[in-house]
Amino acid sequence: MKHLLKMGDLNKEQIIELLDLADKLKAENKAGIKHPLLAGKTLGMIFQKSSTRTRVSFEVGMYQLGGYPLFLSSNDLQIGRGEPVEDTARVLSRYLDGIMIRTYAQKEVEDLAQYGSIPVINGLTDFAHPCQVLADLQTIREHKKDFDGLKMAYIGDGNNMANSLIVGGLTVGMEVACATPKDYQPDASVLEFAKDHPKFSISEDIYAAAKDADVLFTDVWASMGQEAQAEERRQAFQGIQINRDVMAVAKPDAMVQHCLPAHRGEEITAEIFEEHAQEIFDEAENRLHAQKAVMVKVMGGK
C-alpha cells in the first residue's frame, strides 16, 4: 500500500487490516501506551480546504506516532500561486516522508502521487473522502461487531461521502442503499462500480433506503465550495432528512453517523442527532485512530 487516494484503492483484506491496526492503536492510546512508529518522519499537510477534524486529527496523530506534522496552507505554498502540481510533488518529495492533501480536485491528489516519490494520503477531495470512511467503518464495527448481514443507508447528497461509503460498504460486504435527489446522484464512476452489485440500490425514496437499516448516514446539503448553490440545494433537498419517521422504518437498534459539521434541521433533526451523539462523536474520534493506521501503513512504520 503506497498511497491512499480513494476507497477503490483498497480491497477487503486491506481495509480489515487497517481497521485492526486502528483498533490496536486506539486501545494503546487509551491505555497510555506510546507507539512512536513514525519517529523521525515528517508529514506535509497541504490544505486548500479548511478543516477542523482533518487538521487536528492528522496533526495529533503524527505527533503521537513520534513524527512531525507540517501544516501547509495554499497561502503558504507556490501551488497557490500557480506552480504546477507536478513540480510541487517533486520538490516536497525531497523534503518530506509523506503528504496529506485536502483539496478540491481528485486529479490534484492523483498528480501528486504520480509525480512525487513519497506516499500521498487523500484528506478529502470533491470526489472522495477515504479517511473519513475508514473511521466510519471502524465505528460501525465497534458498535455492531461485524459487517456481515448489515445494511447501510445513505440519505442525502451524492457527494464525496456517498461515493466513498458506497465503495467502502460494498467492499467489506455490507448492503448499501442510497436515497438522493435525481439530479444529485453519486459520481458516474461509482454508480458503474456498484450497478451490478446484488447488495446495492439507489432511488429517491428515503424510506426504502432506510428500511431495516442497521446504520444510517447523511451529510450536509451543500458542501464546502458549494455555498453559491446553498438556496438551490435547500429547495432540492427538502424532505431528504434523517428524522423520527425515517428512524421508525430502520432497525430498532440502528445507529446514525454524520461526518460533521451537521446542519441540524436540514439533513438531520436536532432530536435524532442528539439521541445518536455518542455514535457520531465516536466516529469523529476514530478519524484520529484510522488515520494513524493509514500513516503507519503507507509511511513504513514498524
Side-chain angles (χ1 to χ4, degrees):
M1 181 177 168
K2 176 69 185 294
H3 307 288
L4 178 59
L5 309 181
K6 57 188 182 299
M7 283 305 297
D9 292 344
L10 303 172
N11 59 33
K12 182 177 181 178
E13 182 181 357
Q14 289 171 315
I15 292 174
I16 298 302
E17 187 177 352
L18 282 168
L19 298 185
D20 289 346
L21 178 56
D23 287 346
K24 179 177 183 291
L25 295 172
K26 182 175 183 177
E28 290 179 353
N29 194 62
K30 298 292 186 185
I33 300 170
K34 295 188 181 300
H35 36 239
L37 303 174
L38 295 179
K41 298 205 172 189
T42 303
L43 177 74
M45 306 187 306
I46 301 174
F47 283 86
Q48 296 188 331
K49 281 189 175 184
S50 58
S51 168
T52 298
R53 282 152 292 277
T54 300
R55 177 172 179 181
V56 176
S57 56
F58 267 105
E59 197 158 322
V60 170
M62 193 62 181
Y63 170 79
Q64 291 181 356
L65 290 169
Y68 181 77
L70 183 64
F71 175 76
L72 303 167
S73 79
S74 56
N75 294 329
D76 300 326
L77 296 174
Q78 294 296 334
I79 195 173
R81 300 177 59 217
E83 181 173 54
V85 173
E86 52 266 37
D87 292 356
T88 299
R90 287 179 283 205
V91 169
L92 293 182
S93 293
R94 299 188 179 220
Y95 300 149
L96 303 169
D97 299 292
I99 296 170
M100 186 285 299
I101 181 168
R102 180 179 169 94
T103 189
Y104 293 90
Q106 179 71 18
K107 185 177 186 302
E108 194 161 4
V109 177
E110 305 277 350
D111 286 350
L112 274 177
Q114 178 182 349
Y115 290 100
S117 57
I118 57 175
V120 174
I121 300 169
N122 181 351
L124 175 141
T125 63
D126 289 344
F127 172 72
H129 202 352
C131 290
Q132 177 66 57
V133 170
L134 287 171
D136 297 342
L137 294 174
Q138 183 183 6
T139 311
I140 293 169
R141 197 172 70 164
E142 283 179 346
H143 285 262
K144 299 295 185 181
K145 309 307 178 190
D146 200 353
F147 297 119
D148 291 342
L150 294 186
K151 177 181 178 180
M152 171 198 297
Y154 178 85
I155 295 171
D157 185 21
N159 58 13
N160 50 9
M161 281 302 302
N163 293 336
S164 296
L165 283 167
I166 291 167
V167 176
L170 292 176
T171 300
V172 298
M174 298 175 69
E175 179 183 350
V176 179
C178 288
T180 65
K182 64 179 180 179
D183 294 329
Y184 297 90
Q185 290 195 340
D187 189 85
S189 65
V190 172
L191 294 180
E192 180 67 24
F193 165 85
K195 70 175 184 178
D196 296 325
H197 201 294
K199 292 185 176 182
F200 177 70
S201 61
I202 186 166
S203 72
E204 296 179 69
D205 188 339
I206 62 175
Y207 297 101
K211 183 173 173 54
D212 297 325
D214 297 280
V215 54
L216 295 95
F217 281 86
T218 191
D219 194 7
V220 294
W221 292 343
S223 298
M224 192 179 301
Q226 298 172 334
E227 290 81 4
Q229 306 171 29
E231 186 53 40
E232 173 189 329
R233 285 172 167 268
R234 194 170 288 113
Q235 296 300 319
F237 282 85
Q238 285 301 315
I240 309 295
Q241 181 189 70
I242 296 181
N243 53 35
R244 181 67 61 202
D245 291 340
V246 168
M247 294 303 297
V249 303
K251 295 266 185 73
D253 63 345
M255 59 188 291
V256 174
Q257 299 279 264
H258 194 305
C259 62
L260 302 176
H263 293 175
R264 293 163 176 81
E266 292 188 358
E267 74 277 2
I268 188 169
T269 63
E271 177 186 34
I272 297 300
F273 184 94
E274 291 303 328
E275 285 183 10
H276 294 271
Q278 183 64 50
E279 300 153 11
I280 291 168
F281 289 101
D282 284 348
E283 173 191 14
E285 178 191 341
N286 283 339
R287 288 288 301 277
L288 171 65
H289 310 298
Q291 288 163 187
K292 285 166 70 174
V294 171
M295 288 188 284
V296 169
K297 285 294 182 184
V298 301
M299 294 175 68
K302 302 298 183 184

